[in-house]
Structures are given as C-alpha cells and as structure tokens.
C-alpha cells in the first residue's frame, strides 16, 4: 500500500510540473525566431534540413559555428523532420526539455537529501518539490528556454542531471551497470555542450557531502571522467579561441567575481533581465564595481569553507553553484565587447542556490515550530510571483523587435539591439525604420563589420547603390574577410554586371565556409551564365550532397543539363 501511495505521489508530481510548465511557458510556443544565432543554427543551417549519412557525419565532426554541440544539432534535425522550419516544434522541444530538467532537479535533490542522517532533514519531499518548481519557474531560466539557439544548454542539462542521479544511485548500490549509465550520460552531455565538463568536480563535492572516504578506488573511478573533461575542454577552447583571445587573463579574473555577484543578485531579485548585459566602463580592480564583488566572493568562499565543516550540505550547495560557473569565466567577450554576464549561464548553477533556499526555509519552519501549511502558503505566493514574472519574460522573446526593445530599456546605447531591430525591419520590408535603426547602431559602434554589412543591404533594398557600396567599403576597413559582407558584395557586383569580381567573392566564401547560405549555388549559377556548365554541374552536385533538399540546386542542375545537351547526347548521359 505504501509503495502504491509513493507511485501515486510521483505521478501527481510529474503531472504538476508539466501542467505548471505549460501554463507559464505555453504562450511562448508561438514565438518566432530571433536573430541571435537562431537563424544561423537552424534556418540557414543545411545540416538541420536533412538527415543523411553526410549530414550526421558533418554534425559530429565540425563546430557549429564555433561550438562543438553535435547532439543539439541532431535534435534540431529531428524537429525539422517533424515540423519543418516552423518555430513551434523547436519551442515545444525546448519547453519539454526544461520541464524534464525541473523534474530531474527535484529528483536529484530528493536523493541527495536522503543521504544525510545527522542532523536529520525534515520534509524532504516538500524540499524536492520546491527545488523543482523554483528551477521550473524562476525568470532567470527564461533565456535558456525561450531562445532556440540554447537547445545545447537544455539538452546538456538533461544528461548532466541524469549523470548526477546515476552517480547517487551508484553510491547506494556500487553496481557497475549504474556506473556505466552515469558515464554514458556524461558523454552525451559533453556532446551537447562542453560546460558539462565540470561534472567530475561535482562528484567530488558529493563525496565530500556524503563523507565518503578518499581512497585509491574513489580516484580511479573518476579518472575516465576527468580525462574526457580535459579532452572536451581543449576542444571547446579550440573552437572559441578567438573569443578567449579577445579577453586578457586579468580581465577574466576581475569579471568572474562580478558575474558571480550578478547571478546571485538576480537569483534573489530577478529584475532587469535581458539577453545582453554589456559592460562599457574600464575594467580595473581599483573600481568599486570590481573591488567590492571580489571582496564579497572572497567572504562567500571563506564562509563556505567555515560552514562546510559543520554543515556539509551548505558547503555542497554553494560549492555546486561556484564550480558549475567556472566554465563561463572564459566567455566575457562577444563581437569585441565585454559583457558582465549571460543569464543562460546560471541555468545549472542556480540549482545549488535553489536547494539551499528550500532547505533553509523548511529548516526554519521546523526550528520555529511553524505549521507546515503556513510555510507552504508563503512558498506558493513566491512561486506564483515568479511564475507571473517568467510568463511576461518569455513574451519578450516573441520576435526580434520585442527582444531588442527589452534590451534597449535596460541598455539604451546597445548597438547590437539596434542592429537586431534593423535586420528585423528589413525582413518586414520596413526599410526606412531599418535604416534609422542601423544608422543609430553605426553611431554607437563604428568598427562593427556586422552593422556596416546590414546597413549596406538596406541601402541596396532602397536602391541607393552608391551608399550601399560606401557601407560595404566601411565594413571592409574593419574586416574584409567577413563572409556576409563578401556575399552582399558579390550581389552588388552582379547587379553592376561585374562578373569577375562577383566570382572572386563567391569562391572565397565557398572555400572559407561551404555551409554559408547558398553561396555554392550562386557560384554555380554564375559559372552557368558565364558559359561553363561543367563547372556549374560539379558545384550543384556538391550542394546536393551537402543539402539533398536544395530546390535551387535541383533547378540549377536542370538548367545546366539543358544548356549542355548537344550532338544527340541525351540529358541522362550528361547527368551521369
């Protein structure tokens, strides 16, 4: 009977998490794409548009674009197979993964708390549920859920939490099968996102919390995990080498405490949330903006060490938060700017804080002998407030325009927000609004090749070709190798019948990045116009191998075949 009651409780708990998740995030399922990586990862990514041996091979043997996240790309392939390029399916998968992660977070908390005997922890089931709901409903998680490009964070967390649960089960059973399951989850997590590499350190924290003896076997069992971690960290750093090079070691060391305090502040008071948090001041330890966070983090670490001797669970929670944040300390730069933090980086670390908060709430309730119903009522009000905040936060991701305006309310001089507005307005054929937004972006950031390229494309759409060429020339002064700039320049050369110049740009793009948009098809079309159908055919065939669903390649190949059929030679013979 007790077992049946337990199963019934678990079923109701799972249903509750799913119901609340859909109530809060349901409206966001109808959001569209945003221009921060969504288009690059999904819409313009030929690997997503077909599941073939070649696309699968390329998915697991290349960076996308600078990250090694093959399982995330594979999940997009499945979404595309089911729903094409409509964003609903991608949003639905993101939401389902977040709900699963919330359930796993509660399960992990329940298994972890059960291992403590003295002092006894009361209301473990309620603590686990509160942890699960905090993870589900906190507004700081919205960026990871609503941003389609963050599939890698959601998927890696699923395997991350699965590995943690398997490790706790392994400690209870010491079975080889459970250990292997844990290791497999770890591999799958690494193939989703390299930030999972800190998992072996979390195992060490769990051993510390469980008072597990430090033995040769406890070292050997973790050795394969550490080896894989080091390997994937090297791969990850290689993929983001340009980002790492943009920031000095001293800047990283000073930004790390600042970002830690940022995450703590927004976990306890989630206001001012947005996709961009630029830092435009001088980075110096003499500045209060860096000295005070450094001092606060030092105090936090000291308190953790001091309290950890008597209250190991407190030490574990804060240690989990800090350890899982470590990989984010390498990534403070984007497009040459410094950013204080990114809310998505708190997705996993927040679990440590949620567990600590829930634990302290129920411990205080027991110590003060308050009625558990009063405690649950207060917690319900807090969760309701968080849920409402998260609901509204998810709607800011409706489209690029709503997202950009959210950024500008917090950071009125964000050139990236104006750039995003300009690209969005151009896609809606609102060219005057696009021009105004991009000109504003160019005043805030004069050395952004991205802005000059987008500005040039708007001038082209307005028929102002001299201004278009001027904008591209400004972009070339910043970075002549920028592929979207070369692509737009090629189009401009074609409009002016400058075939040789267009040919140079297309060839440079195909050599640098065969996946870039439809440059290979454009190059083939150009060879065909210039009277070289054999060269065109070769490129069309390559495009078919790369993207079997390419209608442009199919039409081009047919045109090339028809133009080449002479002297009684059949169309089928030439195609072969």
């Amino acid at each position: 009977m007790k077992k049946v009651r337990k199963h019934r409780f678990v079923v109701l708990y799972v249903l509750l998490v799913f119901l609340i998740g859909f109530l809060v995030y349901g409206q966001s399922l109808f959001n569209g794409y945003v221009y921060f990586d969504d288009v690059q990862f999904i819409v313009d990514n030929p690997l997503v548009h077909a599941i073939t041996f070649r696309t699968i091979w390329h998915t697991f043997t290349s960076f996308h674009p600078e990250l090694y996240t093959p399982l995330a790309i594979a999940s997009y392939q499945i979404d595309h197979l089911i729903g094409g390029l409509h964003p609903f399916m991608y949003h639905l998968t993101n939401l389902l993964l977040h709900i699963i992660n919330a359930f796993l977070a509660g399960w992990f908390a329940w298994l972890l708390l059960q291992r403590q005997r003295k002092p006894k922890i009361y209301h473990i089931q309620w603590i686990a549920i509160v942890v699960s709901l905090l993870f589900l409903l906190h507004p700081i998680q919205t960026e990871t859920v609503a941003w389609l490009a963050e599939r890698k964070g959601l998927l890696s967390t699923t395997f991350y939490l699965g590995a943690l649960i398997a490790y706790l089960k392994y400690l209870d059973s010491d079975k080889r099968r459970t250990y292997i399951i844990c290791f497999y989850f770890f591999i799958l997590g690494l193939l989703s996102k390299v930030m999972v590499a800190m998992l072996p350190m979390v195992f060490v924290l769990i051993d510390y919390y469980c008072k597990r003896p430090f033995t040769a076997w406890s070292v050997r069992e973790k050795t394969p995990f550490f080896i894989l971690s080091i390997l994937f960290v090297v791969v990850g750093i290689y993929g983001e080498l340009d980002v790492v090079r943009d920031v000095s070691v001293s800047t990283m060391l000073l930004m790390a405490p600042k970002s830690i305090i940022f995450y703590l502040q927004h976990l306890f008071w989630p206001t001012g949330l947005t996709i961009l948090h630029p830092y435009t001041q001088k980075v110096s330890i003499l500045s209060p903006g860096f000295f005070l966070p450094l001092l606060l983090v030092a105090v936090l670490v000291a308190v953790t060490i001091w309290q950890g001797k008597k209250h190991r669970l407190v030490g574990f929670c804060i240690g989990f938060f800090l350890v899982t944040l470590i990989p984010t300390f390498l990534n403070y730069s984007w497009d040459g700017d410094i950013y204080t933090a990114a809310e998505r980086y708190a997705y996993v670390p927040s679990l440590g804080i949620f567990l600590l908060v829930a634990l302290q709430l129920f411990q205080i309730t027991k110590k003060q002998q308050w009625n558990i119903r009063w405690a649950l009522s207060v917690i319900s009000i807090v969760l309701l407030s968080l849920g409402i905040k998260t609901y509204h936060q998810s709607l800011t991701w409706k489209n690029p325009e709503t997202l950009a305006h959210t950024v500008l309310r917090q950071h009125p001089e964000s050139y990236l927000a104006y750039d995003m507005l300009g690209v969005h307005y151009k896609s809606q054929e609102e060219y005057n609004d696009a021009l105004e937004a991009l000109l504003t972006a160019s005043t805030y950031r004069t050395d952004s090749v991205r802005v000059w390229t987008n500005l040039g494309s708007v001038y082209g759409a307005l028929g102002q070709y001299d201004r278009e060429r001027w904008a591209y020339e400004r972009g070339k002064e910043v970075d002549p190798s920028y592929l979207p700039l070369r692509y737009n320049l090629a189009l401009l050369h074609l409009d002016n019948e400058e075939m040789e110049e267009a040919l140079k740009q297309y060839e440079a793009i195909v050599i640098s990045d065969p996946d870039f948009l439809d440059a290979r098809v454009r190059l083939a079309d150009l060879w065909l116009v210039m009277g070289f159908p054999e060269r065109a055919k070769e490129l069309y065939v390559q495009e078919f191998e790369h993207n079997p669903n390419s209608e442009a390649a199919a039409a081009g190949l047919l045109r090339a075949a028809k133009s080449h059929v002479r002297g009684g030679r059949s169309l089928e013979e030439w195609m072969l």
Side-chain angles (χ1 to χ4, degrees):
M1 186 69 183
K2 187 176 180 181
K3 195 172 183 180
V4 172
R5 195 179 305 155
K6 181 180 177 181
H7 287 165
R8 188 177 299 168
F9 174 83
V10 172
V11 171
L12 289 174
Y13 162 55
V14 172
L15 291 175
L16 175 70
V17 173
F18 268 83
L19 176 62
I20 295 175
F22 273 93
L23 282 174
V24 172
Y25 282 103
Q27 190 64 32
S28 70
L29 294 175
F30 304 98
N31 290 354
Y33 296 107
V34 297
Y35 295 120
F36 281 116
D37 294 341
D38 281 0
V39 173
Q40 186 176 16
F41 272 71
I42 301 171
V43 180
D44 289 340
N45 188 353
L47 296 180
V48 170
H49 303 165
I51 301 179
T52 65
F53 175 79
R54 191 191 181 284
T55 59
I56 293 173
W57 173 259
H58 198 51
T59 295
F60 281 87
T61 56
S62 58
F63 292 95
H64 313 282
E66 77 279 354
L67 300 172
Y68 185 64
T69 58
L71 282 187
I73 300 298
S75 71
Y76 291 142
Q77 291 174 334
I78 296 172
D79 287 341
H80 185 272
L81 184 66
I82 297 172
L85 284 175
H86 196 286
F88 177 86
M89 190 64 218
Y90 302 88
H91 282 295
L92 178 61
T93 303
N94 270 25
L95 178 53
L96 289 174
L97 284 170
H98 180 54
I99 292 173
I100 291 170
N101 290 342
F103 168 73
L104 293 176
W107 188 7
F108 168 69
W110 181 68
L111 290 174
L112 188 74
L113 296 177
Q114 276 193 323
R115 299 190 64 82
Q116 181 163 315
R117 297 292 181 261
K118 293 181 181 180
K120 184 177 179 181
I121 299 176
Y122 296 91
H123 310 302
I124 290 178
Q125 285 185 336
W126 285 117
I127 293 174
I129 291 175
V130 170
V131 168
S132 182
L133 293 178
L134 282 171
F135 192 92
L136 178 71
L137 297 176
H138 199 287
I140 206 169
Q141 311 289 53
T142 307
E143 181 176 301
T144 304
V145 183
W147 192 4
L148 296 180
E150 261 308 291
R151 172 70 57 80
K152 53 189 177 291
L154 290 162
L155 193 60
S156 64
T157 302
T158 302
F159 298 125
Y160 192 99
L161 293 172
L164 287 176
I165 290 169
Y167 185 73
L168 288 173
K169 292 282 189 180
Y170 163 71
L171 294 183
D172 286 332
S173 64
D174 201 26
K175 290 182 179 178
R176 183 180 178 185
R177 183 180 65 177
T178 315
Y179 175 86
I180 293 174
I181 290 173
C182 178
F183 190 67
Y184 280 153
F185 275 135
F186 179 55
I187 294 173
L188 294 173
L190 289 171
L191 291 173
S192 303
K193 193 175 184 180
V194 74
M195 289 179 73
V196 175
M198 295 310 294
L199 185 65
M201 290 299 298
V202 179
F203 291 162
V204 174
L205 288 174
I206 291 175
D207 288 354
Y208 150 81
Y209 163 68
C210 298
K211 300 181 181 180
R212 192 177 180 214
F214 182 77
T215 63
W217 170 245
S218 67
V219 174
R220 283 200 304 270
E221 71 184 6
K222 295 178 183 63
T223 299
F225 290 88
F226 277 106
I227 291 173
L228 270 183
S229 290
I230 294 170
L231 176 63
F232 273 82
V233 165
V234 171
V235 171
I237 292 176
Y238 175 77
E240 293 197 277
L241 206 54
D242 291 337
V243 176
V244 175
R245 284 172 177 166
D246 283 345
V247 183
S248 66
V249 175
S250 60
T251 298
M252 289 182 188
L253 293 175
L254 288 174
M255 290 300 298
K258 190 174 182 66
S259 65
I260 290 171
I261 298 303
F262 173 94
Y263 295 127
L264 286 173
Q265 175 189 341
H266 287 80
L267 282 169
F268 286 99
W269 194 253
T271 58
L273 299 176
T274 181
I275 189 174
L276 298 174
H277 296 280
Y279 185 79
T280 56
Q281 306 300 317
K282 183 179 179 181
V283 178
S284 171
I285 194 172
L286 300 177
S287 168
F290 290 95
F291 176 74
L292 290 178
L294 183 61
L295 183 62
L296 289 172
V297 170
V299 171
L300 178 65
V301 172
V303 170
T304 302
I305 295 172
W306 173 57
Q307 283 288 312
K309 295 178 180 179
K310 295 192 300 181
H311 305 286
R312 288 177 177 255
L313 188 53
V314 173
F316 170 82
C317 291
I318 300 177
F320 181 93
F321 172 72
L322 294 175
V323 164
T324 51
L325 273 178
I326 289 175
T328 70
F329 298 159
L330 294 174
N331 199 3
Y332 290 110
S333 173
W334 197 81
D335 198 27
D337 287 334
I338 299 295
Y339 290 85
T340 305
E343 293 156 24
R344 61 191 178 277
Y345 292 161
Y347 189 70
V348 171
S350 65
L351 177 56
I353 302 302
F354 295 152
L355 178 56
L356 182 61
V357 168
L359 176 69
Q360 295 304 315
L361 284 173
F362 281 98
Q363 291 297 86
I364 292 172
T365 299
K366 181 63 180 178
K367 188 175 181 179
Q368 299 296 329
Q369 297 183 341
W370 293 340
N371 191 314
I372 186 67
R373 293 181 181 177
W374 285 104
L376 291 174
S377 299
V378 172
I379 292 169
S380 297
I381 293 172
V382 172
L383 290 172
L384 178 62
S385 301
L386 292 175
I388 293 172
K389 173 69 176 173
T390 297
Y391 170 81
H392 290 290
Q393 186 68 21
S394 70
L395 297 183
T396 65
W397 288 80
K398 183 177 181 180
N399 56 49
E401 183 177 15
T402 57
L403 186 60
H405 284 303
T406 303
V407 174
L408 291 172
R409 282 195 291 271
Q410 301 297 324
H411 308 286
E413 297 183 358
S414 172
Y415 81 94
L416 277 176
Y418 282 110
D419 180 75
M420 180 164 50
L421 273 178
V423 174
H424 173 69
Y425 288 142
K426 180 178 181 290
S427 71
Q428 302 299 309
E429 299 184 359
E430 299 172 10
Y431 298 122
N432 290 326
D433 290 336
L435 186 62
E436 181 182 355
L438 288 164
L439 285 171
T440 304
S442 69
T443 61
Y444 287 130
R445 182 71 184 272
T446 59
D447 61 344
S448 173
V449 63
R450 173 194 182 109
V451 172
W452 291 118
T453 301
N454 291 331
L455 180 60
S457 69
V458 173
Y459 278 130
L462 288 169
Q464 300 179 26
Y465 301 116
D466 289 339
R467 298 295 292 174
E468 180 184 11
R469 190 180 294 273
W470 166 79
Y472 292 152
E473 289 300 322
R474 290 294 302 271
K476 285 173 67 176
E477 292 173 9
V478 179
D479 183 4
S481 64
Y482 185 58
L483 295 185
L485 172 63
R486 287 191 154 184
Y487 185 83
N488 287 3
L489 270 173
L491 294 177
L492 180 61
H493 290 314
L494 284 176
D495 289 339
N496 289 279
E497 298 185 357
E498 300 166 350
M499 300 301 184
E500 292 295 334
E501 292 299 320
L503 195 67
K504 290 179 183 178
Q505 297 295 343
Y506 282 136
E507 287 182 331
I509 294 171
V510 171
I511 292 171
S512 299
D513 183 5
D515 296 336
F516 185 81
L517 295 175
D518 57 348
R520 188 191 286 106
V521 173
R522 293 274 188 175
L523 179 59
D525 290 343
L526 189 53
W527 278 122
L528 187 59
V529 170
M530 295 174 68
F532 296 93
E534 287 291 348
R535 290 186 179 183
K537 172 190 172 184
E538 182 181 346
L539 289 166
Y540 287 134
V541 171
Q542 287 177 12
E543 180 66 15
F544 260 126
E545 292 174 352
H546 197 69
N547 183 9
N549 296 326
S550 176
E551 295 180 1
L557 189 61
L558 186 59
R559 289 196 307 273
K562 288 180 178 178
S563 70
H564 197 70
V565 174
R566 293 186 180 91
R569 190 181 180 192
S570 70
L571 181 65
E572 290 78 7
E573 288 176 332
W574 185 83
M575 292 287 284
L576 294 173

